[in-house]
Amino acid sequence: KAADRVINRWEHYNAICDKLDALEKQGRALQVFPASMPISSREVHRGKLEDVFAQGLAQGRAEAGAWERWLRG
């Protein structure tokens, strides 16, 4: 059973993505993505990770007003 879940995890992931897309179209969810992702998920170099964190923080600060407006409806 565990092996089946690992093999088929992409189906669950895609179903969740579809659900989030539908909720966003209904105005019930707001999806937030990085403007860019210049590193891989396996990156371990601290400096590179800190740089990407700083980029995300800057993006978050720049987009905070839009997120707030969405939250207030």
Side-chain angles (χ1 to χ4, degrees), residues 33-69:
F33 301 99
S36 69
M37 184 53 69
I39 60 171
S40 78
S41 61
R42 296 178 185 196
E43 182 61 66
V44 296
H45 186 270
R46 184 179 176 130
K48 290 179 182 180
L49 294 168
E50 288 174 345
D51 289 346
V52 171
F53 177 83
Q55 289 174 9
L57 185 59
Q59 180 181 340
R61 287 181 174 151
E63 295 178 1
W67 300 346
E68 225 178 289
R69 285 189 296 280

Side-chain angles (χ1 to χ4, degrees), residues 8-60:
N8 297 321
R9 70 178 179 254
W10 64 272
E11 293 173 338
H12 179 69
Y13 174 82
N14 287 348
I16 295 290
C17 290
D18 291 344
K19 173 112 177 155
L20 285 170
D21 288 344
L23 289 170
E24 188 171 44
K25 285 179 185 170
Q26 296 168 14
R28 297 176 57 205
L30 176 67
Q31 297 184 73
V32 178
F33 301 99
S36 69
M37 184 53 69
I39 60 171
S40 78
S41 61
R42 296 178 185 196
E43 182 61 66
V44 296
H45 186 270
R46 184 179 176 130
K48 290 179 182 180
L49 294 168
E50 288 174 345
D51 289 346
V52 171
F53 177 83
Q55 289 174 9
L57 185 59
Q59 180 181 340

